[in-house]
Amino acid sequence: MTTPGPEELERAIAAVSAVPDPEIPFVSIADLGMVRGVRVAPDGVVEVDLSPTYSGCPATPVIAGEVARAVEAAGCGNPRVNLVLSPAWTTDWITPEGRRALACNGIAPPQPCRAREDAVVCPRCGSEATEVISVFGSTPCKSLWRCRSCREPFERFKCL
Amino acid sequence: MTTIQLEETPHLAYLLRLADSALINAHRLSEWCGHAPMLEEDLALTNVALDLLGQARLLYEHAAAVDGNEWREDDLAYRRDAPQFRNLLITELPRGDFAFTIVRQALLSAFFHPFWQRAQGSTDRALAAIAGKAEKEVAYHLRHSGAWLVRLGDGTEESRRRTVDALDALWSYTGELFEVDPVGEAMIEAGIGPDPETIRPVFEQTIDRLVDEAGLARPPGTWMQSGGLRGVHTEHLGHLLAVMQHLQRAYPGAVW
């Protein structure tokens, strides 16, 4: 295989960026802030740096596999996927587009970590009259909330 | 023979202590799956277990690299016998009632949060990176178990009694958190692990704040249990391992 040129690398970056999170498939891993770098290594292999969200998140190996498939499908060969722990992933890396997608799908996006105590806004009716049901939820990244205005339960992306 | 033998340098022994404590704590929490007093807590306890299991995996992977032999994370978790485990005794005690589980998690989180904060400055860069992730996760565990400790202690007569019993039963296992043996000394010396004495004031402050808010008191100083770090365990660990290791012992190398 020939070393991928700038055009192939562009294709690889686009393919990697578009990989969806298997547990919240309306958000891409790029919008979650998990893709920390895509490059052609000196040995001609495409190298992808991924920042895992939670240490034990079972989606991480699935995502690494999807990334490898995406790069291959883009015609850039079998990549090396590195899990990079440091600096540790934070919800502050979720893009504005990712936050919009979360809110549109009924998941309250995380606030900036420094403003952790701000009101959590109901993703359905926009009310700030919300209360926590449980600080843990259906996946490691979410907690359970309820809106006191529209009475709907909803999920919230935890700040990390 | 499926049991492996390791040459434990202080560095490897230290990493195994952290990995084993996270794994055994995770396993005890996972025993609540389907048994917690309410659905939300079923999710919460298993979520905490998942975080700890993730930390254990990262630590075993690093320990295997430091060991430098052919062993992998699964070999370290599934192919050592009880006397080779280096976990804190407090992690292996049976899960008890909900109050016992909550108090144990609050004590462990109150220690490990400042521990992982400090370990981010470790000269072992892989350990420092793991610490960066673990610190955030344990901060969240502390918020959860701390809130429950207050709610149970300041709750009904029964919840209060069970919380007091749990604190009394668990307190003598907290001495081990601060134990410094030659392995610990070597790690402090090398800048790999933090000196637990620097953690003690933070730990005590956290526990005092929680028990005070719960209307309880910190149990008085007492004789402290010891042994886990050198492989001298309670009778409970062997039973836990029999369940946890069964599949890999019966079918070595089995994969999904």
Side-chain angles (χ1 to χ4, degrees), chain A residues 29-154:
Chain A
I29 57 170
D31 279 332
L32 280 176
M34 291 181 70
V35 181
R36 305 315 295 171
V38 184
R39 72 188 83 80
V40 180
D43 60 359
V45 172
V46 172
E47 206 167 49
V48 182
D49 288 346
L50 288 183
S51 180
T53 55
Y54 286 79
S55 314
C57 185
T60 309
V62 180
I63 291 170
E66 291 299 320
V67 163
R69 262 188 291 281
V71 173
E72 272 205 294
C76 300
N78 193 13
R80 254 194 305 275
V81 181
N82 307 318
L83 292 180
V84 181
L85 299 183
S86 181
W89 179 82
T90 160
T91 42
D92 289 350
W93 290 350
I94 301 178
T95 63
E97 183 46 47
R99 284 164 202 269
R100 267 194 297 279
L102 285 170
C104 285
N105 286 277
I107 299 174
Q111 295 100 321
C113 279
R114 279 184 307 280
R116 204 171 281 192
E117 303 308 323
D118 281 10
V120 172
V121 175
C122 171
R124 301 204 184 273
C125 73
S127 168
E128 287 191 5
T130 57
E131 60 191 358
V132 69
I133 299 173
S134 174
V135 292
F136 290 92
S138 60
T139 67
C141 56
K142 288 178 287 190
S143 55
L144 292 173
W145 288 67
R146 159 196 310 131
C147 176
R148 290 204 300 268
S149 300
C150 71
R151 311 303 297 167
E152 284 290 330
F154 64 92

Side-chain angles (χ1 to χ4, degrees), chain A residues 52-56 58 85-86 88-90 133-137 139-140 158 160, chain B residues 40 43-44 47-48 50-51 54-55 58 129-130 132-133 136-137 140-141 143-144:
Chain A
T53 55
Y54 286 79
S55 314
L85 299 183
S86 181
W89 179 82
T90 160
I133 299 173
S134 174
V135 292
F136 290 92
T139 67
K158 295 178 344 196
L160 187 80
Chain B
E40 288 79 6
L43 286 173
N47 261 294
V48 177
L50 188 61
D51 285 343
Q55 293 166 21
L58 295 172
I130 295 168
K133 295 207 73 65
K136 290 170 168 235
E137 291 163 359
Y140 206 80
H141 304 166
R143 273 167 66 191
H144 170 255

Side-chain angles (χ1 to χ4, degrees), chain B residues 14 180-197:
Chain B
Y14 189 74
V180 178
D181 63 352
V183 168
E185 276 168 20
M187 292 302 98
I188 296 168
E189 181 72 23
I192 292 173
D195 183 344
E197 271 316 307

